[in-house]
Amino acid sequence: MPLIIRTLFFNMFLLCLFFSAQAQEHNLDTLFGQAKSCISKDIAKSFALAQEGYRLSQKQGKKTQELDFGILLAEIFYRKNDFKEAERYITLSEPIALSTQNFMQQAAIANSRGLIHKMQNRPLKAIQCFERAHFLIGKCPLTKGTEISLAALDVNLGNLFTTIKMYGKAEKHCTRAIKAFGALKDTLRVHICYLNFTECLLQRNALDSALTLAISCKSFFNQNAMKSYETYAYLVLAKIERARKNYNKSLEYIKLANPSGGELDINWALQKAFNYLALNQAQETIKLLIPFLNDENTVDIQIELELVLAAAYKQLGQYALADSYQQNAYRLNDSLKTSLTEGLLANAEAAYALTQKDVEIARKAAQMAEQEKNMRYRYWFVAGLLIALLLCVVALVVAYKRWKLASDAYKRILKEKAELEKKTRYLNIQAKNDKLNRSILEQINQEIVQKQEQMMDSIRYAQRIQEAVLPYQDKINSIFGEHFLMYLPRNIVSGDFYWCGEINDKQNSRSAKIIAVGDCTGHGVPGGFLSMLVIAILNDLIKLGKNKNAGYILDKTHKGLREALKQKRKINEDGVDLALCVVEHDNQLASKTLTFGGACRPLYIWQDGTLTEMKGNKKSIGGKQKETVRRFDTQTIPLVASRTVLYLTSDGFQDQFNPKREKFGSLRLKKTLEDFAHLDLEVQEANLIQIFKTHKQGMEQQDDVTILGLII
């Protein structure tokens, strides 16, 4: 009986301890919630509750709660502008966060430290902390809370990069924040980000876009009675109008931001001074800025003050004072550059130290993945051996074929040599009779001339056949209207070709106009025969008129060419690079659609003053085919301008060498087309021909050249 009673009392004691611990933990959570909820309304009460919670969590050994209260106390001291105490609590909380592997808490610590550096005008250290926080939150599962945190960090990073004039990075972070807050439908923060983004647009000299965006933000803040943000919007508008050289308008915006005429801060004073200086009001500039010259200014603000005052005194003819201020500004600028360089080096060293903390975490994950990696290595090793063996077999086969061809050629040369020697002996015997010898030589010469004439007649006939197959200019005019064609064959017969066709679907009141430019393997007669074969295939496809899709037409052309050349038996591997456009008209809706398909050739399209390159597939029509079925993509291009110019080209223009063995190049060709696109097509053609002649400077033409330009 006593044993049962003792056991019962012991169990009750354990239960009391358990419920007491649960109650203490619940009390700490309640205390944290109360302190967090009243931080904005009553910061003194929040501080008292947070300090009590921090003391209790330390006493009870509750590390998670101690971390929460430590971060909260750092935030309270930050709001009270006591940055030293805030940083002390952050330093105390950081080891706890690292030991718990809680990335969100680590990110909160890094963010708090970054805010302190930002308020103390240490932008480089603040950037380092915010980027660290961004990296840590990126490791957490994606939720609405993490999306908001990442977007807020992007806003801070955008502001800081703007402060240190790294506008490329600032624009990247602003754009990312706008996208995130837009997805969350947070219109206030979107407009704040827009206002920051105008600074980047201002640096890119996109003044009209910046002005439109800033006016939109000002209207939004005005409608929602957000006076501080509206004031900031007026400052941005003043900067933009000053950049547009509307100095009086800029002064009006400054006055609207400060209607009561109260004291201006340094940023507003600088904006006002810039406008006074531009309006040759040097006395007003000096009177406005002299009170702000003190040691409390940041270095970059002090540099701007000194430079503006130097310019003002120069306007007044007081060159000694102007030179003094200017030299002082240069000295401060050199000091700022040195400090920024040292800060960047310090950031790099600190980032390396922080990275080492992540190495241990990554090491464990790497060990878990090591076995799987080894299995992959073994698989790739075996696969590599098989591929190497296959390549060796292929190399042996190719070497044997080459040896066989060389052997046959050598035997043929020996045979021809023997025949030639026989003919030579015969001619030597006949040479004793001079008259007979001259007769034989004349006869041989006549035969050579005849054969050459016959060959040239054949080539000219092939040219006439090719010209008959190629569409006439009248046909292109009737289908597409205004166009130009720069067509310069290297030889008499060209491996380049151009083609057009039209499909009318009267039943559905639709029609499709098709234009193409191709570049066959090689040039001369072989390329000409191949071009005529492709044109015949295209004509057959148009007669069928089953599908007006650009990619489909390329698919069928590829299949038809391979069948015609029996390329499945590997008789040859000739192919065609082709660019093809389809302009489809809907007569009922009075609309048109442009689609493009390319086989190793691009389409250049000019709209609204901009030339865009639409790249095709990196596969030719015909030739080698490793895949089972070759498909070509169809790209749809929106027609947004009243005047749209298309350019289809072969590679002859861009591959032409000059006497220095320098190619004209695709980038230079694209720039040339963009510069001429607004001109009449006849002028464009004349300019392109002149540029081509100037570039090659008497050099032999390397390849056939074709450029087809038309307006749709």
Side-chain angles (χ1 to χ4, degrees):
M1 188 70 177
L3 180 61
I4 295 173
I5 293 172
R6 284 199 300 271
T7 304
L8 181 63
F9 274 110
F10 181 70
N11 289 335
M12 290 177 65
F13 175 71
L14 290 178
L15 285 171
C16 288
L17 286 177
F18 173 76
F19 284 118
S20 175
Q22 292 292 321
Q24 288 174 355
E25 187 169 349
H26 178 72
N27 288 338
L28 285 173
D29 291 337
T30 304
L31 200 62
F32 178 80
Q34 291 174 351
K36 187 77 174 174
S37 63
C38 63
I39 190 171
S40 300
K41 301 174 184 177
D42 190 351
I43 197 166
K45 181 180 178 182
S46 177
F47 172 71
L49 292 171
Q51 204 169 38
E52 177 65 16
Y54 188 79
R55 186 185 63 77
L56 288 173
S57 60
Q58 280 186 320
K59 183 178 179 181
Q60 297 171 17
K62 304 290 184 182
K63 292 295 182 183
T64 304
Q65 282 79 7
E66 182 183 349
L67 179 60
D68 290 336
F69 281 111
I71 294 173
L72 182 60
L73 282 166
E75 183 180 351
I76 291 169
F77 280 114
Y78 170 79
R79 288 171 179 258
K80 294 167 70 175
N81 292 329
D82 190 348
F83 302 120
K84 186 176 180 181
E85 277 298 301
E87 196 158 5
R88 184 173 74 85
Y89 276 104
I90 289 170
T91 305
L92 290 172
S93 302
E94 191 169 21
I96 303 172
L98 290 171
S99 66
T100 59
Q101 295 294 317
N102 189 325
F103 294 124
M104 281 302 295
Q105 297 285 30
Q106 292 178 33
I109 288 170
N111 183 60
S112 299
R113 199 185 292 277
L115 290 171
I116 292 170
H117 287 314
K118 183 180 177 183
M119 292 301 294
Q120 292 179 319
N121 198 30
R122 296 190 292 227
L124 292 173
K125 290 186 177 181
I127 287 170
Q128 174 199 329
C129 294
F130 288 138
E131 286 181 338
R132 171 71 177 168
H134 204 289
F135 169 76
L136 290 167
I137 295 174
K139 290 185 175 183
C140 301
L142 190 63
T143 63
K144 186 175 180 180
T146 56
E147 286 182 356
I148 293 172
S149 299
L150 288 170
L153 286 167
D154 280 322
V155 172
N156 284 328
L157 286 166
N159 288 336
L160 288 166
F161 280 121
T162 302
T163 301
I164 63 174
K165 295 181 171 55
M166 295 179 70
Y167 297 107
K169 289 190 175 182
E171 185 171 345
K172 183 183 90 172
H173 286 290
C174 285
T175 304
R176 206 155 58 186
I178 289 168
K179 185 177 179 182
F181 285 130
L184 296 168
K185 298 182 179 179
D186 190 339
T187 54
L188 171 60
R189 291 182 177 175
V190 166
H191 281 82
I192 294 170
C193 293
Y194 279 153
L195 213 51
N196 294 333
F197 189 65
T198 55
E199 296 277 352
C200 302
L201 292 175
L202 195 58
Q203 295 304 318
R204 282 203 281 114
N205 208 29
L207 302 180
D208 292 337
S209 301
L211 181 62
T212 304
L213 199 58
I215 290 173
S216 172
C217 293
K218 186 264 295 180
S219 300
F220 175 82
F221 296 137
N222 180 267
Q223 290 170 5
N224 292 276
M226 297 175 179
K227 188 63 180 176
S228 60
Y229 290 122
E230 187 181 359
T231 302
Y232 179 38
Y234 278 124
L235 176 61
V236 174
L237 283 166
K239 285 183 181 179
I240 295 168
E241 291 296 350
R242 179 169 57 82
R244 289 162 59 92
K245 299 184 179 179
N246 295 333
Y247 305 114
N248 290 319
K249 187 69 175 177
S250 179
L251 288 170
E252 286 179 20
Y253 279 126
I254 294 173
K255 187 175 181 181
L256 285 170
N258 188 31
S260 61
E263 184 180 353
L264 295 173
D265 67 11
I266 182 64
N267 289 313
W268 287 103
L270 273 171
Q271 287 301 314
K272 203 167 185 179
F274 284 138
N275 289 290
Y276 282 154
L277 193 62
L279 294 170
N280 295 320
Q281 298 178 12
Q283 290 286 4
E284 294 293 333
T285 304
I286 295 167
K287 181 181 177 181
L288 181 65
L289 293 185
I290 286 294
F292 290 100
L293 280 175
N294 55 63
D295 295 335
E296 295 180 1
N297 294 327
T298 60
V299 178
D300 55 338
I301 293 293
Q302 190 69 17
I303 290 170
E304 287 195 54
L305 280 170
E306 301 272 2
L307 288 174
V308 174
L309 285 169
Y313 280 116
K314 192 175 289 185
Q315 277 188 8
L316 293 174
Q318 299 180 25
Y319 298 108
L321 274 173
D323 187 60
S324 172
Y325 280 116
Q326 190 169 6
Q327 292 301 323
N328 196 29
Y330 289 160
R331 180 183 58 78
L332 288 172
N333 189 44
D334 292 340
S335 172
L336 180 61
K337 286 181 180 177
T338 303
S339 65
L340 281 173
T341 304
E342 291 173 353
L344 288 170
L345 289 172
N347 273 5
E349 292 173 359
Y352 174 77
L354 287 171
T355 304
Q356 297 306 308
K357 295 178 182 179
D358 298 321
V359 169
E360 184 63 24
I361 300 169
R363 185 180 62 81
K364 294 181 181 179
Q367 287 177 348
M368 295 175 64
E370 187 66 27
Q371 187 175 3
E372 183 182 351
K373 187 188 293 184
N374 289 335
M375 290 297 293
R376 286 200 303 271
Y377 284 158
R378 289 173 188 168
Y379 168 77
W380 285 113
F381 178 73
V382 173
L385 284 177
L386 292 174
I387 291 170
L389 182 61
L390 180 62
L391 290 174
C392 288
V393 172
V394 171
L396 287 172
V397 171
V398 171
Y400 172 75
K401 285 185 176 181
R402 289 184 176 179
W403 174 82
K404 189 74 170 62
L405 289 171
S407 177
D408 292 344
Y410 181 70
K411 290 177 181 178
R412 188 169 61 253
I413 290 169
L414 289 177
K415 184 178 178 181
E416 290 175 354
K417 183 180 178 183
E419 291 178 354
L420 184 61
E421 287 175 351
K422 184 178 178 180
K423 288 181 179 179
T424 304
R425 285 194 299 271
Y426 175 76
L427 289 173
N428 287 334
I429 293 170
Q430 295 296 322
K432 293 178 181 179
N433 190 339
D434 293 340
K435 185 176 180 180
L436 183 59
N437 189 37
R438 282 194 302 271
S439 176
I440 292 171
L441 289 174
E442 288 175 359
Q443 186 179 356
I444 291 171
N445 189 42
Q446 286 176 1
E447 288 178 0
I448 292 171
V449 171
Q450 284 178 351
K451 287 181 179 179
Q452 189 174 13
E453 288 177 353
Q454 289 172 0
M455 186 186 302
M456 290 304 297
D457 289 341
S458 298
I459 292 173
R460 290 191 189 96
Y461 189 70
Q463 180 190 19
R464 288 196 295 273
I465 294 172
Q466 187 180 42
E467 288 175 351
V469 171
L470 292 172
Y472 292 117
Q473 298 290 322
D474 293 342
K475 183 178 179 181
I476 302 176
N477 271 329
S478 66
I479 295 175
F480 286 97
E482 188 177 356
H483 75 283
F484 78 83
L485 174 65
M486 180 180 173
Y487 186 62
L488 304 175
R490 179 180 181 272
N491 301 314
I492 296 173
V493 180
S494 174
D496 284 4
F497 68 91
Y498 53 93
W499 174 87
C500 66
E502 187 172 16
I503 300 174
N504 288 310
D505 186 355
K506 295 181 179 179
Q507 184 177 357
N508 295 317
S509 297
R510 298 175 69 90
S511 64
K513 300 177 180 180
I514 308 170
I515 190 75
V517 168
D519 185 355
C520 300
T521 302
H523 39 72
V525 175
F529 282 132
L530 192 57
S531 70
M532 288 187 281
L533 181 57
V534 175
I535 289 173
I537 293 169
L538 288 170
N539 285 331
D540 289 342
L541 286 173
I542 295 306
K543 287 177 183 177
L544 293 174
K546 291 183 178 179
N547 195 320
K548 300 180 281 295
N549 182 284
Y552 172 83
I553 294 172
L554 293 184
D555 295 343
K556 291 301 181 181
T557 305
H558 170 74
K559 182 178 178 183
L561 184 62
R562 282 182 58 82
E563 290 175 354
L565 297 179
K566 300 181 176 59
Q567 291 186 337
K568 288 185 178 179
R569 300 180 185 178
K570 298 185 179 178
I571 293 176
N572 64 73
E573 295 178 349
D574 294 328
V576 179
D577 296 343
L578 186 67
L580 184 141
C581 292
V582 179
V583 182
E584 192 168 354
H585 292 260
D586 189 325
N587 297 327
Q588 291 182 346
L589 299 177
S591 64
K592 57 184 177 181
T593 305
L594 173 63
T595 57
F596 164 69
C600 292
R601 292 308 305 154
L603 166 68
Y604 299 108
I605 178 168
W606 184 84
Q607 295 189 102
D608 291 333
T610 303
L611 188 77
T612 305
E613 179 182 1
M614 308 298 295
K615 294 185 178 181
N617 296 95
K618 295 183 178 180
K619 298 177 287 188
S620 293
I621 302 294
K624 288 184 180 179
Q625 178 177 316
K626 295 181 180 180
E627 64 270 33
T628 305
V629 179
R630 180 166 292 180
R631 298 290 186 213
F632 292 89
D633 298 330
T634 298
Q635 302 181 50
T636 302
I637 301 103
L639 299 174
V640 298
S642 59
R643 187 179 191 266
T644 300
V645 185
L646 305 182
Y647 298 98
L648 295 88
T649 70
S650 66
D651 59 4
F653 198 109
Q654 66 195 47
D655 289 345
Q656 177 62 42
F657 286 107
N658 64 9
K660 295 181 181 179
R661 301 296 297 170
E662 296 171 343
K663 289 185 177 182
F664 191 83
S666 58
L667 292 177
R668 188 175 168 192
L669 175 59
K670 183 178 176 182
K671 180 68 170 61
T672 302
L673 293 175
E674 186 172 16
D675 291 342
F676 292 157
H678 67 282
L679 301 174
D680 292 339
L681 295 183
E682 291 181 359
V683 177
Q684 292 187 42
E685 180 183 4
N687 289 346
L688 287 170
I689 292 172
Q690 183 59 43
I691 287 172
F692 184 72
K693 290 179 180 178
T694 304
H695 173 73
K696 72 175 186 174
Q697 296 180 19
M699 289 285 290
E700 183 182 358
Q701 186 171 324
Q702 304 293 128
D703 197 0
D704 303 315
V705 175
T706 304
I707 298 179
L708 176 62
L710 53 89
I711 297 175
I712 60 170

